[in-house]
Amino acid sequence: MGMVGGGRGAFIGAVHRMAARLDDRIQLVCGALSGDPERARVSGADLHLPAERCYGSWEEMIEREAALPLGERMDFVAIVTPNHLHHPIARRALEAGFDVACDKPLARTADEVRELAGLVERTGACFLLTHNYAGYPLVLEARARITAGELGAVRKVVVEYPQGWLASALEATGQKQAAWRTDPEQAGAAGCLGDIGTHGHHLAEYLTGLRVTHVCADLTTFVEGRRVDDDASVLLRFGGGARGILAASQVSIDEENGLAIRVYGERGGVSWRQEEPNTLVVMRPERPRELLRTAGPGLSPAAARASRLPAGHPEGFIEAFANLYRDFADTIDCRLRGDDPPAELVGYPGVDAGLRGMLFLEAVLANCHGSEKWTEVPKA
């Protein structure tokens, strides 16, 4: 793995590195860990990378790694930069013949994502979009039960993601994470919606297998002077007739990372909370609620495969990331050997999920700034 971004002072880059090496399938071999060449160099030294593979820019890294023979160069690049750099780095990496793992959102416009999707199709590259919540065992269990029809036809989806860390103008203090996430030039036009609302949208579609077809949205900026939204409320219509609500906020005082989803069908429902990830609540009429536990008995093969520890041992955020990276690495291995990867390896989010996410963001922004009650989300 080569990495772009994630140097000193970054948050998500370290998470990606820990997750990628958890199964001993992936080794970090090079990086352009900062846009500042000196910070990139010292960040690489922090991680014990060879000096000659601590690159001063991502352009240099891709060019020089592509010149190395197979078996010596990096196999894929992990992109953990602010949002505005995702598209140009991914495009250059794909053009140079590298596989790509990228943080979300995949780009700033749907047209940019369509360009990446075309490159993936033409090159046959492996592409991972790290919507890490798709790697939680009990998210996979909920998905398996919904797919198997245990809930009947889905009627209602309620997904929320409250945070409170941006309840004041933290970006004005020089805090790096707040600064780029509230800068539309780096984060894109959608602030809170693009940062965490995209997780809610992806989780709703991933669990149900349904696509959001129409949105009715209210985006708000509560903190004076902030240039992007910090609170979002969106009504959802799904294909097949289901209805939904997505609420995302970064000004909800004292909330940490309260991602939660409830799905209700004709015959039952499921409820999962990211802050209590080892429990899935299953609801059925006229029966007591059932609490399923990570690594417990009776789980689906997908959930059992994603469970890493015996029941009762907490596992969560990094392990969910690691589940995606493990499947991604095994898929790359299969391709390098000329084998077709088994079906259970290719369920991780890819460029298609990135396109649906961007089309959703653009539809919400259009609805919020337009006059129509409902805005259609274009098909990917």
Side-chain angles (χ1 to χ4, degrees):
M1 175 174 76
M3 178 168 280
V4 181
R8 287 185 179 181
F11 157 63
I12 203 64
V15 172
H16 280 254
R17 291 193 295 269
M18 286 185 284
R21 67 174 178 257
L22 196 59
D23 291 287
D24 294 321
R25 304 288 292 112
I26 297 170
Q27 177 186 3
L28 181 70
V29 296
C30 64
L33 301 174
S34 172
D36 175 78
E38 177 59 20
R39 181 183 287 269
R41 185 190 66 78
V42 297
S43 296
D46 290 343
L47 300 174
H48 309 291
L49 290 176
E52 67 273 15
R53 299 183 83 177
C54 297
Y55 299 108
S57 70
W58 60 266
E59 295 95 336
E60 180 190 14
M61 185 182 87
I62 292 173
E63 180 181 355
R64 287 179 56 184
E65 289 293 315
L68 295 174
L70 288 173
E72 295 183 23
R73 69 181 192 175
M74 66 178 179
D75 292 302
F76 74 93
V77 58
I79 303 170
V80 294
T81 64
N83 301 347
H84 70 295
L85 292 172
H86 291 179
H87 168 258
I89 299 170
R91 180 182 61 194
R92 184 76 64 85
L94 290 167
E95 290 172 342
F98 293 110
D99 299 317
V100 173
C102 186
D103 224 355
K104 56 77 213 158
L106 188 45
R108 291 190 295 176
T109 68
D111 285 342
E112 289 181 345
V113 184
R114 287 190 182 96
E115 182 183 18
L116 295 180
L119 279 170
V120 169
E121 183 176 2
R122 289 196 298 275
T123 62
C126 301
F127 199 105
L128 167 65
L129 182 65
T130 52
H131 274 300
N132 66 300
Y133 301 107
Y136 278 91
L138 292 179
V139 167
L140 291 164
E141 179 65 21
R143 185 178 189 233
R145 288 174 177 248
I146 295 169
T147 301
E150 288 191 21
L151 308 187
V154 174
R155 290 173 169 172
K156 186 78 171 181
V157 181
V158 181
V159 60
E160 61 177 345
Y161 202 151
Q163 295 177 336
W165 72 295
L166 289 177
S168 62
L170 186 61
E171 61 268 31
T173 69
Q175 209 268 13
K176 179 179 178 180
Q177 300 299 322
W180 79 257
R181 282 179 166 84
T182 56
D183 178 3
E185 296 303 314
Q186 297 185 74
C192 169
L193 184 73
D195 192 20
I196 59 177
T198 49
H199 279 307
H201 166 258
H202 178 261
L203 197 59
E205 292 198 342
Y206 186 73
L207 282 189
T208 65
L210 304 174
R211 299 291 175 255
V212 175
T213 61
H214 296 79
V215 295
C216 175
D218 181 24
L219 301 185
T220 306
T221 303
F222 282 105
V223 175
E224 186 175 355
R226 184 166 287 162
R227 294 186 290 160
V228 294
D229 61 277
D230 49 29
D231 187 87
S233 302
V234 188
L235 297 178
L236 310 172
R237 287 180 176 174
F238 293 85
R243 298 293 189 265
I245 303 169
L246 186 155
S249 177
Q250 292 177 316
V251 296
S252 297
I253 295 291
D254 202 37
E255 293 287 355
E256 295 175 345
N257 281 281
L259 175 63
I261 187 166
R262 302 188 298 278
V263 180
Y264 303 98
E266 293 173 324
R267 298 195 298 273
V270 292
S271 176
W272 180 82
R273 296 176 55 243
Q274 194 265 158
E275 292 182 343
E276 182 65 35
N278 287 359
T279 300
L280 177 70
V281 180
V282 181
M283 300 162 283
R284 297 185 181 89
E286 301 178 0
R287 288 178 57 180
R289 290 186 174 187
E290 180 181 2
L291 302 183
L292 301 179
R293 297 284 291 166
T294 299
L299 295 184
S300 66
R305 183 173 181 272
S307 299
R308 296 171 167 270
L309 300 172
H313 294 283
E315 52 182 311
F317 190 73
I318 291 174
E319 290 88 347
F321 260 107
N323 286 335
L324 300 186
Y325 267 110
R326 178 186 60 191
D327 289 354
F328 183 59
D330 288 346
T331 301
I332 293 174
D333 257 358
C334 287
R335 195 201 59 196
L336 291 173
R337 294 194 308 267
D339 299 332
D340 292 329
E344 64 266 21
L345 291 186
V346 292
Y348 53 80
V351 69
D352 54 338
L355 179 54
R356 291 198 303 276
M358 189 52 57
L359 291 170
F360 169 77
L361 289 180
E362 290 186 352
V364 170
L365 289 168
N367 181 267
C368 190
H369 298 141
S371 59
E372 58 187 3
K373 181 177 180 180
W374 289 95
T375 298
E376 183 175 3
V377 180
K379 294 181 181 179

